[in-house]
Amino acid sequence: MIDWRNIVIKRTNGPYPKNRYGIILSNLSKVHRKFLVENRYIKRWANDDQFVKCAIKMQKPSVRDASSARLYYDWENKLPVTQEALRENYNTIDWVCAISKKPIKAKFMNFDLENFVDDEYLDVLKAPMVDSRILKSSIEFRKKCKELLLEQRQEFLKVAKKSAKRKL
């Protein structure tokens, strides 16, 4: 977390250490350094420490930084989660382990053998021959992925047709 009250501005006259408008960048947080580097219009007032401190304090974090802290509601799990967790949840399919028949999460459109086996049974893949149960699971998984993609395509076409009719 950034402490907004204790922003220290140190100055230099030469090119070393790295600086922008004479303000040493190493003493500032990454967000503040980026702000000074990207906003060249500050150069006109850069000699005034009070102005620079006020500008840095008013600077808001970028959208990318804010979205990583933002929580999204996952309708499948009925829980608020981060954006990365949401992507991971929607990029997996409920599947069963080919060996133990335990429920697992398989990655969508990933047809590696590790995707169809529970973590406890990964040593089965070290055998010289591939188990036929894993191959059967792989074929069924391909069919399931194809069905899901076709369903999504149909839903998209329905929505596109409805919106096209409304615009006419």
Side-chain angles (χ1 to χ4, degrees):
M1 196 70 189
I2 299 169
D3 187 11
W4 299 100
R5 291 170 281 159
N6 297 329
I7 295 174
V8 178
I9 295 179
K10 291 188 180 177
R11 296 195 171 268
T12 183
N13 290 332
Y16 298 104
K18 290 183 181 180
N19 67 75
R20 178 63 85 188
Y21 318 120
I23 300 169
I24 298 174
L25 296 176
S26 61
N27 297 328
L28 299 173
S29 69
K30 187 176 181 179
V31 174
H32 297 140
R33 285 190 298 248
K34 187 176 180 182
F35 176 73
L36 285 176
V37 170
E38 289 180 350
N39 298 297
R40 294 179 184 265
Y41 58 85
I42 293 177
K43 184 177 184 179
R44 190 181 330 169
W45 302 286
N47 293 332
D48 185 7
D49 286 349
Q50 185 178 5
F51 172 81
V52 173
K53 278 186 180 181
C54 289
I56 287 175
K57 286 180 182 179
M58 291 186 321
Q59 193 269 332
K60 295 179 182 174
S62 67
V63 175
R64 200 175 332 133
D65 297 336
S67 67
S68 63
R70 185 180 295 164
L71 293 177
Y72 298 90
Y73 190 74
D74 185 3
W75 288 97
E76 271 188 39
N77 299 332
K78 309 286 189 219
L79 295 170
V81 294
T82 61
Q83 187 176 15
E84 294 84 27
L86 185 68
R87 282 191 180 138
E88 186 177 321
N89 289 346
Y90 281 98
N91 198 22
T92 57
I93 299 174
D94 292 330
W95 201 247
V96 289
C97 174
I99 306 298
S100 67
K101 303 296 183 196
K102 289 182 181 178
I104 60 171
K105 290 279 191 180
K107 293 178 185 165
F108 188 72
M109 298 300 287
N110 181 359
F111 303 109
D112 295 335
L113 298 178
E114 296 88 19
N115 200 30
F116 309 111
V117 181
D118 193 17
D119 293 336
E120 298 174 16
Y121 297 97
L122 286 177
D123 57 339
V124 173
L125 300 174
K126 295 177 183 174
M129 298 279 295
V130 178
D131 195 338
S132 63
R133 296 175 287 183
I134 298 173
L135 293 177
K136 287 180 184 176
S137 180
S138 171
I139 293 168
E140 291 172 13
F141 187 74
R142 284 178 192 260
K143 290 178 183 176
K144 177 74 173 180
C145 287
K146 188 175 179 179
E147 287 174 14
L148 289 173
L149 287 173
L150 289 173
E151 287 174 9
Q152 287 180 354
R153 183 175 142 209
Q154 292 298 325
E155 288 178 27
F156 174 75
L157 290 175
K158 285 179 186 176
V159 171
K161 286 179 183 177
K162 283 182 183 178
S163 66
K165 288 180 183 177
R166 287 182 186 164
K167 290 181 182 178
L168 294 177

